[in-house]
Amino acid sequence: MVLWATAVVTVALVAAGIAVLMSLRVNLTEQAQSEANDTARRIALGVATWRGGDARLTLPEGAREGIPVQVTDEDGRLLAVGAGLESVSGTGVTAVRVPRTAASPTAPAPSPSPSVSPAQAPNTATQLGTGTADDHGGRGRDRNRGSDDSGSGSHGPDDRSTDDDHGADDHGSVGSPAPRANDPAIGTIGDTVLEGSGHAVVYGRGAPYRFATVKATDLGGRTVLVHAGASLAARESAVRSAAVAMLAGLPLVLLVVGGVTWLVTRRALAPVEGIRREMAAITASEDLSRRVPEPASHDEVARLARTTNETLTALEAAVDRQRRFVADASHELRSPIASLRTQLEVGSAHPQLLDVPGAVKDTERLQHLAADLLLLARLDAGERPGQGRVDLGELVREELERRPADRAPVSFRTDGVPQVAGSRGQLARVIGNLLDNAQRHSRAGVVVRVTARGDRVVLTVADDGSGVPASERERIFERFVRLDDARARDDGGAGLGLAIARDVARRHGGTLTVGEAPSGGALFELRLPVAAVPSPAHTAPEHSRES
């Protein structure tokens, strides 16, 4: 898990670092381009005041030393270069090598910048317009400036002239050339700035540059191109420094992230490990009374611990109930078996003393107890009742017909209720157990009613006995529970009848409860859902009954 978390953080940091470096590179490139644009426009404003023909072009004061500056005509002939510029590419005059002469030393003085004869520059540049960018590797930017911008940078031609006797021979014809349609007006500069990238060597040091090209028309009517660059060395240095810093800090960041992730994960999973250890100890010791530790937090781990303890509690209760069931069953079986053995032993020694009716009664009791235990085992195993249709009123009548006449009388009434779905045999066992319990406790008689209430069929069995205390009305449905401890065992039964009746009722989607009858005795109420009416094609024959 720690390795996965560290890998995810590594990918995220690398992606973020690349994004930061790219953003930094773009921002510094835009700053350099803005600087080149400003320099080109300043120089172009100064060039626009030059009167060509009788004087050599001199770059204005805006052309500082160390900045690659070129001035060419529209045919690509080089007119002037900045101080210290040795070679340049990317301005439209491709890979121009500027010769070092007396007028252009390696470290020139701040006197007027030297000019280069048109014959010395290769005529390889492509003509540029004020609104397009052909081969300058850049894009045109409309600065939306009018004649006020050019006028603010103009000054007298005598301020930029020199006494050099090179005149018309250096620049071609003395007359003003014919203006072109896209050239700026005389004494102004163009509105479009062409941008591009290139490389220049200034004072022997080469570096990448961003270049800007601006058109300017001097006072003599000649249109020239002013190329100015801004170094990208700061950009490269900043990006390189940032990349080195990120690479140097990445291992430390990953180490910290991995350590923190390991500590947090270990701390978060420590309660889970405690739960696992305790569960392993419970499994080894088979002591279901132990519980796993519950963290004080209110997170998922704490809820897991509480649910685990609830499961252990339910499991402990189930095991205890099973143990009690086995113990009670053994006790209930031991008594009739011991009694039957005694009778048989006495009969074997003294045949005239053999109590045959008592032996038969003990045998019947064993038979009933074995049948009850077998039914409980089947119910605990999850046996599902059948889906036959049963008439409870008819079932009660059949059960009453089988009962001996010497027991408490039973009054029965039914209102012709709908049928219920389920096992006929199991429901007959429920009715028999309820009648046995009522006749055992009744003084004068038992009242049985079968009615319909909404979507339920209700069977009530009421007696006029002593009733069931409110505090014991749930306990009597537990297995092997008998409230009449003083009663003789032969009369009291084994305490399984009501437990079986409630389990069967629940398996059929119903309920079995006990309350107080109008006569003061116990009132047992069985509620079962009405059977769904089947379609004619799937109606089952009613004569088939489950035994």
Side-chain angles (χ1 to χ4, degrees), residues 332 365 369 372 440 479-482 489 492-497:
E332 294 295 332
R365 184 180 177 190
L369 182 58
D372 289 344
R440 186 183 300 121
R479 298 174 182 180
F480 298 105
V481 172
R482 290 173 297 180
R489 182 175 302 276
L496 292 177

Side-chain angles (χ1 to χ4, degrees), residues 340-358:
L340 182 60
R341 178 180 178 180
T342 300
Q343 296 179 31
L344 292 176
E345 289 178 350
V346 170
S348 176
H350 307 282
Q352 68 278 9
L353 300 178
L354 178 62
D355 184 10
V356 176

Side-chain angles (χ1 to χ4, degrees), residues 23 78 92 104 357 455 482 523 531 540:
S23 177
L78 187 63
S104 180
D455 61 344
R482 290 173 297 180
L523 175 64

Side-chain angles (χ1 to χ4, degrees), residues 330 332-344 362 366:
S330 301
E332 294 295 332
L333 289 172
R334 182 180 60 181
S335 297
I337 290 176
S339 175
L340 182 60
R341 178 180 178 180
T342 300
Q343 296 179 31
L344 292 176
D362 286 339
L366 284 175

